[in-house]
Each structure stands twice: as C-alpha cells, then as structure tokens.
Amino acid sequence: MINQFSNAGMHHLFNNAINQDAISTAQNNRYVAISLADGVSTCTAAQQGAIVACNTLNDLLINKAAFFFQFDEKQVAEIVISHILYNLRKQAAEDNEDISEYSSTISSVLIDTKAKKAVLINLGDGIILATAKGKANVLAMPDDSSLGCCVTTTMNAINSVAIKAIDIRMLDSIAICSDGAWRQMFNKNKLKPEVANILGNSEYGLLSEFLLKQKCFDDFSFVSVDLKEYTGRKTA
C-alpha cells in the first residue's frame, strides 16, 4: 500500500502561493516506485519544475527498473540527472523561461518486490526513512544545505546524487519526507517521541495529522510504501 500526503506551508498560505512539493507513484506486477520533489521557493516555476522532475524520474524508474538494480552508481546518477534536465529544458523552452526557474530537490525509492531489494536516490534536503521492529531509521540523509542546497539544475549535480541499494526483507515500510515535513519530526538529530511511535507502527495517517498540527512554515509532504505485503512480515 502506498500512502501520500502533501500540504502547503504557512509561508505559502500567507502569501496566497501554491504548494511547491510534488509526489509521483507507480507500480506494476513486480516493481514499485515513489518519488518526491520539493520546488525551490525563490523560483518562479518551482511547482512546475518539481512536477516535471518527479514524474520524469518516477516514469524512468518504473519503465527501466531492471537497469537500476545493476547499480553502477555513476551511470545511474548521470542517467537520472540527464533525463530530468532534458524534460526541464523542454518545459522551459515551451514557457520561454530560464531552466533555473524550475529547480527542485528529488528523492526516489524503487522497490523490487520479487528480489526484496530497493534502490534509493536522493538529491537535496529530502530524507528517506525506514521502519522495522517498531523503530525508524534514516536510510538517506538530507544534503547539508548550510551553504545552499544542491538541486536538479545545480552545475555538476550528478556528483551530489546519493544512491544506495538495500535489502528490504526485514523492513516494514519506507518513506520519503520533504524538508518541510522532516524538520518538524526531529528535535535536533533525534525523532520526537510522538513521531518515533507513529513511524514505529507505520501509522502514516497519524503522521499527516501530526504534521497538520505543527503549522509548518514550509510545504510539508511525504510518500510511503508498506512493505509487509511484499516481504511477508506481519504487524506485531
């Protein structure tokens, strides 16, 4: 089962602006792909850029899934960024706009339900989490954005794409969170107790309720996959 949630932050609501996060999901008889992109708020086409990046990568993952499990990290990064930039340039040309106005982060998970494996892809300040045995762990850390966050249109973004292969047999769920969401979920470097309990039980409906109560400044989104139906694990 796939869960997804996205909501505009207080900053955008106050300024009558739209939610600039985007989520894309896809699945077939073997693979599941989820992606989340966070448009750069200072860009004039942030939402459109996030949608293009998200849909481009998710379509690529689900349609060329077997390739990604061969796992040549450099080649995967090159293909991911080149495909996203191709479609961003196409969109920018149609709109007569500079491609930099379509900048976003991008995070994705591709799951092979038969082989019980997953590939994680992360560019920017999103985070990828997993739950198992009542606990949540970080699988892919957000980029250090203290000097600016690397995004899809950043020069040499290929070098900043984090790629990781994992075994999912002992996991209950995987989730991607935008920075507007995860920053409310952590206190310094530790999950808040309430969030740790929610994630430990893979109760993503309660996570959306928790986030709505926080009155998040930034847009806040997550997308998750319940893995138990693929791994045969049962909820305790």
Side-chain angles (χ1 to χ4, degrees):
M1 181 175 65
I2 296 175
N3 300 282
Q4 57 182 307
F5 173 83
S6 187
N7 208 69
M10 297 301 295
H11 175 67
H12 284 158
L13 291 174
F14 181 79
N15 290 287
N16 295 316
I18 55 178
N19 183 355
Q20 295 170 349
D21 288 352
I23 293 172
S24 184
T25 68
Q27 54 189 316
N28 56 31
N29 60 356
R30 177 164 180 171
Y31 299 101
V32 179
I34 58 172
S35 297
L36 191 159
D38 180 356
V40 176
S41 296
T42 55
C43 296
T44 58
Q47 185 199 48
Q48 187 63 29
I51 293 171
V52 170
C54 203
N55 290 343
T56 296
L57 182 50
N58 216 63
D59 289 347
L60 180 64
L61 291 173
I62 202 70
N63 291 318
K64 301 292 183 182
F67 162 79
F68 288 92
F69 286 95
Q70 296 173 9
F71 200 65
D72 181 315
E73 184 172 333
K74 183 176 180 181
Q75 190 177 24
V76 168
E78 289 175 347
I79 289 176
V80 165
I81 296 301
S82 64
H83 274 70
I84 291 173
L85 288 178
Y86 174 83
N87 284 335
L88 289 179
R89 290 190 185 101
K90 184 178 179 181
Q91 185 67 55
E94 291 177 3
D95 298 341
N96 194 28
E97 186 62 86
D98 191 283
I99 190 175
S100 63
E101 298 298 335
Y102 297 80
S103 301
S104 75
T105 66
I106 184 71
S107 304
S108 297
V109 177
L110 174 64
I111 299 163
D112 183 337
T113 63
K114 182 177 180 180
K116 316 301 183 190
K117 294 181 179 180
V119 172
L120 318 177
I121 299 171
N122 200 34
L123 174 70
D125 54 13
I127 197 170
I128 303 177
L129 302 164
T131 66
K133 297 182 179 179
K135 295 183 179 181
N137 297 292
V138 176
L139 297 178
M141 294 288 292
D143 191 22
D144 180 3
S145 58
S146 58
L147 297 177
C149 180
C150 186
V151 293
T152 51
T153 61
T154 300
M155 185 177 294
N156 298 321
I158 290 172
N159 298 327
S160 296
V161 179
I163 302 167
K164 184 179 182 180
I166 64 168
D167 190 304
I168 66 168
R169 284 176 292 182
M170 299 305 294
L171 301 181
D172 295 327
S173 68
I174 290 180
I176 305 171
C177 302
S178 67
D179 72 315
W182 70 255
R183 291 183 191 280
Q184 298 297 324
M185 295 159 56
F186 283 80
N187 182 11
K188 297 182 179 179
N189 294 322
K190 189 174 182 179
L191 280 170
K192 295 177 180 179
E194 180 180 358
V195 176
N197 185 58
I198 289 171
L199 292 179
N201 293 311
S202 300
E203 294 178 321
Y204 290 98
L206 293 181
L207 179 59
S208 61
E209 293 178 12
F210 167 83
L211 291 170
L212 285 168
K213 292 177 182 177
Q214 308 310 303
K215 297 183 178 180
C216 306
F217 179 81
D218 195 7
D219 300 336
F220 50 108
S221 309
F222 70 82
V223 56
S224 67
V225 180
D226 187 331
L227 299 174
K228 294 187 289 295
E229 62 182 292
Y230 308 122
T231 62
R233 287 169 60 80
K234 295 181 180 181
T235 305

